[in-house]
């Protein structure tokens, strides 16, 4: 369990399971249109349902969920494998749980799991207006480069050939 004492909340991060389907659907229902738009780059809520189905039925991904004390799934993060050494990072954190460090924790753990699986490069498609996710990725991924915006989207390219995640960064002085 990761405790956030200032907020009196805690959560745990674990691997996704097929039995998480109903909890993931419930999380999608609790997410705002703004959050879904940012995650699915403007597609409908149906894109979220299709994504959940992929995560609980396919095996070509590394996926984690964040679960609150009450067992509600409040976030999901995945690296969708698109080759033997590359994958795409996707992340969705329920609105009321945003800004509490869950996204950063998911990214850190997904980087470590990806590196262990032989992944050397992770990409992420992010809306140019999604400044929060740009900052999270830049902080959590020391070896990231961002592309020039194209049609309102930038691509983050994360190299896993060096130190990975905030756990491997030196502490601030």
């Amino acid at each position: 369990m990761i405790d956030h004492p200032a907020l009196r909340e805690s959560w745990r991060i674990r691997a996704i399971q097929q039995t998480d389907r109903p909890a993931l659907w419930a999380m999608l229902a609790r997410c705002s249109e703004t959050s879904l738009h940012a995650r699915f780059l403007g597609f409908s809520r149906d894109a979220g349902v299709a994504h959940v189905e992929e995560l609980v039925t396919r095996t070509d991904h590394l996926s984690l969920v964040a679960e609150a004390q009450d067992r509600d799934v409040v976030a999901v993060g995945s690296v969708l494998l698109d080759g033997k050494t590359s994958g795409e990072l996707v992340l969705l954190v329920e609105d009321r749980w945003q800004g509490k460090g869950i996204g950063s924790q998911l990214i850190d753990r997904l980087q470590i799991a990806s590196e262990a699986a032989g992944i050397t490069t992770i990409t992420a498609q992010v809306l140019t207006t999604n400044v929060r996710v740009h900052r999270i990725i830049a902080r959590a991924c020391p070896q990231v480069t961002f592309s020039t915006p194209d049609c309102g989207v930038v691509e983050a390219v994360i190299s896993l050939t060096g130190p990975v995640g905030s756990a491997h960064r030196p502490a601030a002085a």
Side-chain angles (χ1 to χ4, degrees), residues 11-12 14 23 26-27 30 66-75 94 96-97:
W11 64 87
R12 72 181 182 120
R14 62 169 175 77
M27 181 193 75
R30 292 188 304 267
E67 187 177 72
Q69 282 180 304
D70 63 5
R71 298 272 200 235
D72 280 347
V73 170
V74 297
E94 184 180 326
R96 84 171 201 87
W97 289 87

Side-chain angles (χ1 to χ4, degrees), residues 44-59:
S44 71
R45 192 172 290 272
D46 293 340
V49 173
H51 182 65
V52 165
E53 286 305 307
E54 285 184 359
L55 294 180
V56 297
T57 60
R58 293 174 54 180
T59 58

Side-chain angles (χ1 to χ4, degrees), residues 32-42 76 89-95 98-99 103 107 124-139 146 149-156:
S32 69
E33 289 297 323
T34 301
S35 290
L36 294 173
H37 176 80
R39 163 56 193 91
F40 297 107
L41 305 180
V76 61
L89 173 69
V90 294
L91 186 68
L92 178 63
V93 178
E94 184 180 326
D95 295 53
Q98 293 175 9
I107 291 171
Q125 305 295 315
V126 184
L127 291 173
T128 56
T129 56
N130 196 345
V131 176
R132 176 181 266 170
V133 170
H134 290 254
R135 281 191 217 135
I136 290 169
I137 290 174
R139 266 195 320 263
F146 290 94
D150 183 24
C151 298
V153 176
V154 296
E155 180 176 64

